[in-house]
Amino acid sequence: MKLYLNRYIINIIFLIYNFILMSILIVPGNPYMPSAGLDPSWQWGIDHAIHYDLQFGKDIIFTYGPFGSYRFPDTMFTLFSYKYHLVVSLIFSFTVAISLSILLENKKIINKFFIPFGLFIALSIGHWIFFFFVQILFLMLVINMKESKDKILIYFLIILVAFSALIKFSHFPTALLLFIGADIYLYYKNKVFYYITPVFLLSIVLFFIASGQNLFNLFDYFIQSIQITSGYSEAMQISGSLSILLVFLFLSGWFFICLVRNYLLKKDLTKLFI
């Protein structure tokens, strides 16, 4: 009983520790004000469009969507939305903290301390990958799913990823592929369909409506977002050494071959899925 109590207290302590780290990382405690320049201009434009209920895919077409102002931690202060930014960022922080706590539950205390801190440093340097990091947490929870509480958290992460897909459209394709893969993996492993992809798509529809958008514009939003995202990616390309591309193709191809070989030897779909 005493051992269980001590373990419970340790888990609570590290949950609070993870929550503090994630809150420092993404909660917009010091939002910046509208200013001159390219980035501040389009960011203010997105906030303006959301405030005045402009229709995305019709009135405004950009790489960001109807929740585009929730670019944690890059938050521009607007009086009408700042309190919502705080609430949503705290929800994300707490969900990520719980996910990390569950994944590290049986690890040594030193790992419980250094792994979240290492992630905090990495995400601080490249904070724009935070929403992709949420997808990785989902993946790890799916692979390690054991208890009913894990399932609840997994579905909550799906909803948050759906929210992030309406922050920036580039979050959507990776999430969709991930969730389709998760449905296939879980059905292969447990012979149970968990409806992960349908929950994700339904959540997007409900969030789209909740953001003040007309449901009939959803199709236009996706079509226009695909076009502008692909055009934006092409415009951002620069000429460079072909050797860099060849090195990337070699390393990624070799990595894929190793995964397939591992699967053929051990028949372990988990490693191939990762």
Side-chain angles (χ1 to χ4, degrees):
M1 181 66 180
K2 185 177 180 180
L3 181 62
Y4 176 81
L5 185 60
N6 289 338
R7 185 178 177 183
Y8 179 78
I9 292 173
I10 290 173
N11 289 335
I12 291 295
I13 290 173
F14 277 98
L15 173 60
I16 295 172
Y17 168 71
N18 291 333
F19 177 65
I20 292 173
L21 286 179
M22 291 302 117
S23 297
I24 293 172
L25 181 70
I26 72 165
V27 173
N30 185 30
Y32 53 90
M33 297 295 158
S35 58
L38 177 60
D39 286 339
S41 297
W42 69 253
Q43 290 167 3
W44 183 88
I46 291 292
D47 290 350
H48 177 85
I50 293 169
H51 181 53
Y52 288 98
D53 295 326
L54 297 185
Q55 297 298 301
F56 282 77
K58 183 179 179 182
D59 300 324
I60 181 169
I61 301 171
F62 198 52
T63 54
Y64 284 83
F67 287 123
S69 64
Y70 293 83
R71 302 175 298 273
F72 308 128
D74 295 332
T75 299
M76 179 180 290
F77 179 80
T78 51
L79 192 61
F80 67 88
S81 62
Y82 183 59
K83 57 180 178 292
Y84 301 112
H85 292 161
L86 291 176
V87 172
V88 174
S89 63
L90 286 171
I91 292 173
F92 267 97
S93 298
F94 191 65
T95 305
V96 170
I98 294 177
S99 302
L100 285 174
S101 298
I102 289 177
L103 289 171
L104 300 174
E105 188 173 10
N106 297 319
K107 301 295 183 182
K108 295 179 180 178
I109 290 181
I110 191 170
N111 290 332
K112 288 185 177 185
F113 176 79
F114 279 110
I115 290 177
F117 185 74
L119 291 170
F120 170 76
I121 296 298
L123 292 171
S124 298
I125 296 171
H127 58 261
W128 55 273
I129 65 170
F130 172 78
F131 293 105
F132 294 106
F133 173 63
V134 175
Q135 296 182 26
I136 294 173
L137 283 178
F138 163 84
L139 171 62
M140 300 309 297
L141 283 170
V142 165
I143 292 171
N144 294 282
M145 182 171 60
K146 296 176 181 178
E147 304 178 24
S148 57
K149 64 178 181 181
D150 298 343
K151 296 179 184 177
I152 295 172
L153 184 57
I154 283 171
Y155 283 111
F156 200 76
L157 282 170
I158 295 170
I159 294 171
L160 292 186
V161 171
F163 184 91
S164 78
L166 294 178
I167 295 175
K168 191 172 186 180
F169 182 76
S170 58
H171 301 166
F172 173 78
T174 54
L176 181 62
L177 290 173
L178 175 64
F179 292 148
I180 291 173
D183 270 326
I184 294 172
Y185 168 75
L186 288 174
Y187 186 80
Y188 173 88
K189 183 179 180 181
N190 302 324
K191 296 298 183 287
V192 176
F193 188 62
Y194 286 83
Y195 300 98
I196 289 172
T197 307
V199 169
F200 171 62
L201 296 176
L202 178 60
S203 298
I204 286 182
V205 172
L206 295 177
F207 277 132
F208 192 79
I209 297 171
S211 67
Q213 300 294 300
N214 188 327
L215 180 59
F216 294 104
N217 291 330
L218 182 60
F219 179 76
D220 290 334
Y221 167 70
F222 274 99
I223 295 300
Q224 300 293 352
S225 295
I226 290 172
Q227 292 178 354
I228 194 170
T229 301
S230 60
Y232 176 82
S233 301
E234 184 178 354
M236 291 293 287
Q237 292 176 14
I238 59 174
S239 58
S241 173
L242 181 62
S243 61
I244 301 298
L245 177 61
L246 294 177
V247 168
F248 168 77
L249 291 174
F250 173 77
L251 291 175
S252 57
W254 181 256
F255 180 64
F256 181 74
I257 290 171
C258 290
L259 285 174
V260 174
R261 179 178 178 275
N262 184 277
Y263 170 70
L264 293 175
L265 289 174
K266 299 182 179 181
K267 299 298 182 181
D268 186 353
L269 186 64
T270 299
K271 291 184 174 60
L272 185 62
F273 182 52
I274 293 175

